[in-house]
Amino acid sequence: DGGITQSPKYLFRKEGQNVTLSCEQNLNHDAMYWYRQDPGQGLRLIYYSQIVNDFQKGDIAEGYSVSREKKESFPLTVTSAQKNPTAFYLCASSRGTDTQYFGPGTRLTVL
Amino acid sequence: SQKIEQNSEALNIQEGKTATLTCNYTNYSPAYLQWYRQDPGRGPVFLLLIRENEKEKRKERLKVTFDTTLKQSLFHITASQPADSATYLCALEGSGGYQKVTFGTGTKLQVIP
């Protein structure tokens, strides 16, 4: 089955800890994205990557970091510098710049 | 500044009726507009894409219109069913070299049996 996967589904973190969210796709898409979704708000773009070994900041990149060493993988690290990290995190991929295919999401809670 | 507006209030509709959701935008000149469906706790799922030179697009019970003069898209679900209950997001291509896609906040649709 082709698709995009995220793990874990639920993640708990203590304040001051870094945590990495996984995103993998086997759709052979060049572009990948990370979004954050808070209740009552739309999807806000954190980082995106149009090609391997290249990525750009989105609208709310502060406190986050990413890497794109393989076409299939785009992990997101939520660092301790992110002041309000509790949210629903969504990863997506696309062949071009239009239709995006989303993963199931990771719900991060800071304890 | 660029803005995408979707009705933040939930839309309640009787089963079998046509649901119409609105997406208005300002300070965009998108080459296309997309609609996605999102169920609680899940990622959005792509439904339809309509380009600036298309006035209307249909897919089964779904219909999307795109009026670049009014800067508005309407999303219709005909013969609505309880299974259509979800949040519907519109998304626009932005400006700039990357043509980043920006999502609206979504409208929650509840179809009442």
Side-chain angles (χ1 to χ4, degrees), chain A residues 32-104:
Chain A
M32 296 187 75
Y33 315 81
W34 273 105
Y35 293 92
R36 169 184 173 138
Q37 189 174 37
D38 295 283
Q41 296 198 37
L43 279 65
R44 292 186 289 169
L45 182 65
I46 304 172
Y47 269 97
Y48 62 95
S49 168
Q50 294 175 266
I51 198 167
V52 174
N53 293 322
D54 187 47
F55 50 83
Q56 286 78 41
K57 293 181 179 180
D59 300 318
I60 56 165
E62 186 176 348
Y64 300 98
S65 66
V66 293
S67 63
R68 187 85 187 277
E69 297 176 3
K70 297 188 300 181
K71 188 174 188 178
E72 302 80 16
S73 179
F74 191 40
L76 173 75
T77 296
V78 184
T79 75
S80 56
Q82 170 48 237
K83 296 306 177 189
N84 186 22
T86 294
F88 188 47
Y89 290 87
L90 287 159
C91 179
S93 69
S94 66
R95 189 184 355 259
T97 57
D98 46 34
T99 304
Q100 296 188 18
Y101 295 83
F102 285 84

Side-chain angles (χ1 to χ4, degrees), chain A residues 9 31 33 35 37 40-43 45 48 50 59 88 90 97-105 107, chain B residues 32 34 36 38 40-46 49 51 89 93 97-106:
Chain A
K9 188 171 178 64
Y33 315 81
Y35 293 92
Q37 189 174 37
Q41 296 198 37
L43 279 65
L45 182 65
Y48 62 95
Q50 294 175 266
D59 300 318
F88 188 47
L90 287 159
T97 57
D98 46 34
T99 304
Q100 296 188 18
Y101 295 83
F102 285 84
R107 190 166 298 279
Chain B
Y32 57 82
Q34 304 175 65
Y36 289 77
Q38 186 176 22
R42 307 188 76 163
V45 174
F46 170 75
L49 181 150
R51 301 195 181 276
L89 310 171
E93 175 205 27
Y98 166 64
Q99 285 87 46
K100 183 185 73 177
V101 173
T102 302
F103 287 81
T105 55

